Amino acid sequence: MLDIIRDIGAITRTIQIRSNAEFRPLELDNNRFIYLIRVCEQPGMFLGALADSMQIDRTTAFRTVKKLVADGWLRLEADPADKRLRCVFPTERALTLYPRLHAFEQAQSDHLLAQLSDSELKRLRALMGKLQA
Amino acid sequence: MLDIIRDIGAITRTIQIRSNAEFRPLELDNNRFIYLIRVCEQPGMFLGALADSMQIDRTTAFRTVKKLVADGWLRLEADPADKRLRCVFPTERALTLYPRLHAFEQAQSDHLLAQLSDSELKRLRALMGKLQA
DNA sequence: CCTTTTTAATTGCAAATGCAATGAGTTAAT
DNA sequence: ATTAACTCATTGCATTTGCAATTAAAAAGG
């Protein structure tokens, strides 16, 4: 009965390994590519919210963002309303790379779902939506 | 269209965080509890196979098993047929703890799937089986 | 207001992580 | 039977990770 939860974990880890290998040449391994994708899609989140949205530890996210800023992928901006917050934005460089990141993620998704028909896909999507982590 | 692959990743990370917090008092965080579950269920695998079955880096698995042996949870045994292999077995201590590990995993699974009816569960299981990582 | 409680960001530190490299045993091929 | 190719375990090393603690800002309560 535990097959589902185990399958889910196995898929995640396999894709993670593949993605990190893919983006290592760009120094975007260690899940750093995930940060770029999120920030390009939703620019302006503050650090903690960004971390939470990825289910990643806030201190880990803090240091990773710091490195991505140093490497010219991200940019931080103070929030005018709340002095505690530091909002994260993509640089031009990140926006230029984004299509490639997105394409890779799409390819992983396509591969994962390759055996499903359109109706099966629809059904899976609906069922996944009912899960509660 | 990427919802499925992202949902899967989010679920995995959330459960991982919860599980590590749960087993930290036993020093079975950092995914060490996963090793115990696998070895109890399938004793005698050699180190590399165990690592591969969990989609975990072999060197990481090597060091983790080493620590679990030092802490009295696992036991290593040489393979009589192939001198390279070191097979992993649970100790009494691990076997005693196993029911609790299993119960926690089951509870996570139950919670995840709580909103699904029996037929939906059946369908999800079938669809997950068609996925190819 | 002033105090208490919450929420961010940040840092310290010890431990875990994972790629690359090494060495030893096994299999395949000539 | 010897060489070549492979697989496993292990170690080196630099980096990453994450819990715990600190500081600063904002919100809540009285």
Side-chain angles (χ1 to χ4, degrees):
Chain A
M1 263 313 176
L2 294 167
D3 353 8
I4 292 176
I5 208 175
R6 290 185 178 183
D7 284 350
I8 286 177
I11 289 166
T12 301
R13 285 187 290 272
T14 300
I15 291 177
Q16 193 185 63
I17 289 167
R18 260 207 291 273
S19 303
N20 282 325
E22 169 78 11
F23 296 118
R24 189 164 308 127
L26 289 171
E27 294 211 74
L28 292 175
D29 52 338
N30 291 109
N31 295 326
R32 283 196 274 268
F33 64 95
I34 298 180
Y35 292 72
L36 290 200
I37 290 176
R38 295 272 168 169
V39 173
C40 284
E41 294 182 359
Q42 197 162 339
M45 296 177 95
F46 69 92
L47 274 164
L50 173 62
D52 293 350
S53 81
M54 299 183 295
Q55 295 83 34
I56 288 178
D57 178 81
R58 283 187 174 202
T59 67
T60 300
F62 168 75
R63 279 182 257 248
T64 302
V65 167
K66 192 173 154 191
K67 179 171 173 56
L68 289 170
V69 168
D71 290 354
W73 296 108
L74 299 180
R75 183 170 55 76
L76 288 172
E77 207 170 295
D79 185 307
D82 188 331
K83 291 181 183 173
R84 291 171 303 176
L85 307 185
R86 311 244 280 145
C87 302
V88 191
F89 294 89
T91 61
E92 274 307 316
R93 190 185 183 202
L95 292 168
T96 302
L97 181 65
Y98 175 73
R100 186 173 147 197
L101 299 172
H102 185 268
F104 184 81
E105 188 184 18
Q106 186 64 60
Q108 295 303 309
S109 173
D110 290 347
H111 174 72
L112 178 71
L113 307 171
Q115 299 306 313
L116 303 188
S117 69
D118 279 0
S119 66
E120 286 175 325
L121 196 63
K122 212 174 205 170
R123 222 178 303 170
L124 177 59
R125 223 174 146 193
L127 290 171
M128 293 290 301
K130 296 187 85 172
L131 301 187
Q132 48 180 350
Chain B
M1 264 316 174
L2 294 167
D3 349 8
I4 293 175
I5 208 176
R6 290 185 179 183
D7 285 350
I8 286 177
I11 290 166
T12 301
R13 284 188 290 274
T14 300
I15 291 177
Q16 195 185 61
I17 289 167
R18 258 208 292 273
S19 304
N20 282 324
E22 169 78 11
F23 296 116
R24 190 163 308 126
L26 290 171
E27 293 211 74
L28 292 175
D29 53 338
N30 292 107
N31 295 325
R32 282 196 275 266
F33 64 96
I34 298 180
Y35 293 71
L36 290 201
I37 290 176
R38 295 273 166 170
V39 174
C40 284
E41 293 182 359
Q42 196 161 342
M45 297 177 93
F46 69 92
L47 272 164
L50 173 62
D52 293 351
S53 79
M54 300 183 295
Q55 294 84 34
I56 289 178
D57 178 83
R58 283 186 175 204
T59 67
T60 300
F62 168 75
R63 279 183 257 248
T64 303
V65 168
K66 192 172 153 192
K67 180 172 172 54
L68 289 170
V69 168
D71 290 354
W73 297 107
L74 299 180
R75 182 170 56 77
L76 288 172
E77 207 170 294
D79 186 307
D82 188 333
K83 290 181 184 175
R84 294 170 301 177
L85 308 185
R86 310 246 279 145
C87 302
V88 191
F89 294 88
T91 61
E92 274 307 315
R93 189 185 183 200
L95 292 169
T96 302
L97 181 65
Y98 175 73
R100 185 174 148 196
L101 299 173
H102 186 268
F104 184 81
E105 188 184 19
Q106 186 64 60
Q108 296 302 309
S109 173
D110 290 347
H111 175 72
L112 178 72
L113 306 171
Q115 299 306 312
L116 303 188
S117 69
D118 279 0
S119 67
E120 286 175 325
L121 197 63
K122 211 174 207 171
R123 221 179 300 170
L124 177 58
R125 224 173 144 194
L127 290 170
M128 293 289 303
K130 294 188 87 173
L131 303 186
Q132 50 180 347

